């Protein structure tokens, strides 16, 4: 794979380094030896994830699994983000629609994609009053307690060791001035102690995951955030396991970025927890929207325990608040002014090389899984030309010996003698303009082995 691990800053080719170094005028000439010395200063990153990584943070997005079959969606996701949250696929109604019957297929696809790209994962969410299946609402207190702990345990064990932070409890406080807990089956039947119990159960189920409390309208200091603050302070004082607080940060003109946003993040951090911006979206457009995004990113950068930012979707067209165009990419995946503001705030370089690593052969390949059934899955390989046009390409896909590729489309395959290595070339004219992409697909019969196919390098003609 040519894709760098998403957590490491990109390593541009020496040519890209030289080009930028020349452009930045940081080349010194050692005249006596006739040697050109490049400045050792860090290269500006060109994506959200890579620039956040250079600040010691992640930059993530909510992902909708049913959009992964759209190649522009997946290309933008894979290129820009180094952390992912399932937008709906890991909520209680999705994972345990009937009591004791867990459905992990779709969430597994999310995990496979994110981990296949080297992304960090936020788990969202274990205990929440919303998107809760009907059966939970009809339980008595004893059954509800058992069901809550069982849900936390089963889900966390499924992804044990693979989740960086889990939203253990989401939105348990009321809006407004009361500072009270929000009515829910958990609150009504189990009382305030349900939150503590959920965190203790979660710690036992996956000790490696950071455990977060997550909420909205807690972004500035107000009655609701004060109530959460008091709970976190109490948890820390009594040794209840909590590691992080998530601030959803859904903003619009009625609910703008509060002026004490940074100060509020800092007071939570001072309790000894990490703080994370977990569902950022800001309705608006143009410069005003860009300025609000910049304010949020700068606030996080100024709080050392603010270790990452997640925006709530890749593109405006699939946002849960699409009419407010609240995200960083428009419906055609163009970068908005807000994108540039975020990238610059993170120390990145706008307008950078769109292909960070064209590879020696002048093209690069990336893999993603687009569909999965009980016995097989579909894979897709995206071929991208480097900085020059190419007239043809060749790449290989290797499957494990148990697996069989049963069908292919949009390419001409040949096979090695083992039948495990498929060499793919374009169907007919394989011309691609500089930076342009094409893709081919195939179905893999798993035969019990669900490992991801391995890609060889890409060679261009
Ligand atoms: C939203 C999703 O974006 C929608 O697709 C879904 O219909 C409803 O939930 N707070 C949360 C998120 O914690 O899980 C919500 O996500 C948005 C508000």
């Amino acid at each position: 794979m040519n894709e760098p691990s998403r957590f490491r800053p990109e390593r541009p080719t020496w040519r890209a380094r030289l080009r930028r170094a020349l452009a930045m005028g940081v080349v010194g000439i050692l005249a006596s030896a006739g040697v050109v010395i490049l400045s050792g200063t860090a290269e500006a990153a060109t994506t959200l994830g890579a620039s956040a990584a250079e600040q010691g943070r992640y930059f993530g997005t909510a992902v909708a699994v049913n959009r992964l079959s759209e190649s522009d969606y997946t290309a933008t996701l894979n290129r820009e983000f180094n952390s992912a949250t399932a937008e709906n696929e890991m909520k209680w109604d999705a994972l345990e629609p009937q009591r004791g019957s867990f459905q992990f297929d779709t969430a597994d696809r999310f995990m496979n994609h994110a981990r296949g790209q080297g992304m960090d994962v936020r788990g969202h969410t274990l205990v929440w009053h919303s998107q809760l299946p009907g059966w939970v609402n009809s339980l008595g207190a004893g059954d509800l307690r058992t069901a809550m702990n069982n849900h936390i345990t089963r889900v966390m064990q499924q992804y044990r060791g693979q989740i960086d932070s889990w939203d253990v409890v989401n939105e348990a406080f009321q809006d407004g001035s009361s500072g009270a807990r929000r009515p829910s089956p958990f609150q009504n039947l189990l009382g305030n102690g349900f939150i503590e119990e959920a965190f203790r159960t979660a710690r036992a189920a996956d000790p490696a995951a950071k455990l977060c409390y997550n909420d909205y309208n807690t972004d500035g200091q107000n009655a609701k955030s004060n109530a959460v603050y008091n709970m976190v302070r109490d948890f820390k004082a009594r040794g209840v396991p909590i590691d992080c607080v998530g601030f959803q940060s859904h903003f619009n003109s009625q609910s703008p970025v509060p002026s004490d946003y940074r100060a509020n993040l800092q007071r939570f951090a001072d309790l000894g927890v990490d703080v994370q911006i977990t569902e950022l979206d800001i309705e608006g457009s143009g410069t005003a929207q860009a300025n609000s995004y910049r304010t949020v990113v700068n606030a996080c950068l100024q709080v050392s325990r603010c270790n990452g930012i997640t925006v709530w979707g890749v593109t405006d067209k699939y946002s849960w608040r699409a009419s407010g165009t609240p995200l960083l990419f428009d419906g055609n995946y163009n970068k908005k002014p807000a994108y540039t503001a975020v990238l610059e705030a993170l120390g990145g370089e706008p307008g950078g090389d769109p292909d960070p690593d064209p590879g020696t052969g002048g093209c690069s390949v990336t893999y993603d899984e687009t569909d999965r059934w009980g016995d097989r899955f579909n894979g897709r390989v995206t071929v991208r030309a480097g900085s020059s046009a190419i007239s043809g390409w060749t790449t290989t896909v290797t499957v494990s010996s148990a697996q069989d590729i049963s069908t292919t489309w949009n390419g001409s395959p040949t096979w090695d003698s083992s039948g495990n290595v498929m060499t793919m070339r374009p169907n007919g004219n394989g011309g691609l303009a500089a930076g342009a992409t094409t893709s081919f697909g195939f179905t893999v019969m798993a035969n019990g082995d669900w490992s991801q196919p391995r890609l060889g390098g890409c060679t261009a003609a």
Side-chain angles (χ1 to χ4, degrees):
M1 294 281 286
N2 293 337
E3 288 291 296
S5 161
R6 292 280 150 193
F7 242 178
R8 263 171 260 135
E10 287 165 7
R11 271 192 297 123
T13 60
W14 68 269
R15 252 183 252 96
R17 279 176 185 275
L18 179 59
R19 204 165 53 235
R20 288 211 195 98
L22 286 167
M24 289 158 61
V26 293
V27 177
I29 311 275
L30 189 59
S32 58
V35 175
V36 177
I37 300 198
L38 298 183
S39 149
T41 56
E43 187 71 33
T46 59
T47 65
L48 300 170
S51 47
E54 291 189 346
Q55 307 291 339
R57 289 162 171 86
Y58 63 79
F59 202 95
T61 180
V63 172
V65 166
N66 63 348
R67 304 298 182 191
L68 290 173
S69 55
E70 187 179 317
S71 60
D72 285 346
Y73 180 95
T74 305
T76 307
L77 165 67
N78 294 354
R79 184 187 73 231
E80 294 288 344
F81 298 97
N82 61 4
S83 171
T85 308
E87 186 169 358
N88 290 297
E89 294 80 352
M90 292 168 85
K91 294 174 180 174
W92 195 317
D93 60 352
L95 294 183
E96 194 185 4
Q98 262 81 50
R99 187 170 184 184
S101 152
F102 288 83
Q103 309 288 327
F104 288 116
D105 287 9
T106 310
D108 285 353
R109 280 180 53 203
F110 161 78
M111 289 297 292
N112 287 339
H113 186 90
R115 285 166 51 76
Q117 293 293 321
M119 294 177 183
D120 191 351
V121 179
R122 296 196 81 261
H124 178 78
T125 178
L126 295 164
V127 183
W128 186 27
H129 67 277
S130 186
Q131 293 178 271
L132 197 58
W135 64 266
V136 179
N137 291 286
S138 56
L139 300 178
D143 274 354
L144 180 65
R145 182 185 306 280
T146 306
M148 179 184 84
N149 289 322
N150 185 53
H151 183 79
I152 293 169
T153 301
R154 288 287 302 276
V155 172
M156 289 186 80
Q157 284 179 346
Q158 175 79 5
Y159 302 114
R160 194 176 162 112
Q162 303 177 11
I163 305 274
D164 297 273
S165 302
W166 260 113
D167 290 332
V168 178
V169 176
N170 196 31
E171 302 183 353
F173 284 80
Q174 299 255 48
D175 290 322
S177 58
S178 71
R181 309 290 169 111
R182 175 196 293 273
S184 70
F186 310 106
Q187 181 66 35
N188 301 350
L189 273 68
L190 307 180
N192 287 355
F194 89 86
I195 303 181
E196 170 173 354
E197 183 162 347
F199 276 84
R200 291 189 190 280
T201 302
R203 179 66 94 223
D206 183 356
K210 287 184 187 172
L211 307 181
C212 303
Y213 177 81
N214 191 52
D215 215 326
Y216 68 95
N217 281 353
T218 50
D219 310 298
Q221 294 197 31
N222 56 43
K224 187 175 177 180
S225 68
N226 287 345
V228 175
Y229 178 88
N230 289 336
M231 177 187 75
V232 175
R233 188 174 54 187
D234 170 58
F235 279 15
K236 293 301 284 185
R238 291 191 298 111
V240 179
I242 185 167
D243 307 301
C244 38
V245 176
F247 298 84
Q248 293 186 9
S249 305
H250 295 293
F251 297 123
N252 59 22
S253 55
Q254 281 77 51
S255 173
V257 183
S259 56
D260 59 355
Y261 190 64
R262 185 200 57 75
N264 189 52
L265 295 177
Q266 186 66 59
R267 73 168 174 151
F268 277 87
D270 289 343
L271 292 174
V273 288
D274 287 346
V275 293
Q276 301 174 353
I277 296 167
T278 52
E279 304 182 15
L280 178 63
D281 57 4
I282 308 177
E283 294 186 352
S285 62
T287 308
Q289 183 180 48
N291 288 341
S292 296
Y293 265 101
R294 183 183 298 109
T295 300
V296 169
V297 173
N298 283 333
C300 181
L301 292 177
Q302 286 163 23
V303 175
S304 61
R305 291 201 75 155
C306 180
N307 58 342
I309 299 174
T310 298
V311 291
W312 204 240
V314 176
T315 160
D316 281 342
K317 70 175 167 176
Y318 298 142
S319 163
W320 73 311
R321 309 197 291 171
S323 63
T325 60
L327 295 172
L328 302 178
F329 293 89
D330 71 15
N332 295 316
Y333 299 94
N334 295 312
K335 296 169 179 175
K336 295 165 61 180
Y339 170 93
T340 308
V342 168
L343 187 71
E344 286 179 347
L346 292 169
E349 179 188 88
D353 187 347
D355 180 4
D357 184 4
T360 49
C363 55
S364 59
V365 279
T366 53
Y367 172 79
D368 60 281
E369 183 179 310
T370 56
D371 243 317
R372 184 179 280 206
W373 298 270
D375 58 345
R376 71 207 128 101
F377 59 93
N378 284 349
R380 175 177 55 201
V381 174
T382 301
V383 180
R384 177 188 291 271
S387 46
S388 328
I390 57 176
S391 59
W393 45 265
T394 308
T395 190
T396 61
V397 175
T398 303
V399 296
S400 75
S401 49
Q403 297 170 334
D404 289 309
I405 297 183
S406 60
T407 324
T408 71
W409 52 95
N410 209 24
S412 298
T414 54
W415 304 86
D416 79 335
S417 56
S418 73
N420 298 327
V421 183
M422 173 176 76
T423 298
M424 191 61 110
R425 295 186 175 81
N427 264 339
N429 173 12
L432 282 178
T437 60
T438 185
S439 63
F440 62 87
F442 50 90
T443 299
V444 178
M445 302 308 299
N447 299 321
D449 182 342
W450 295 92
S451 53
Q452 182 173 303
R454 295 183 304 282
L455 301 188
C458 185
T459 317

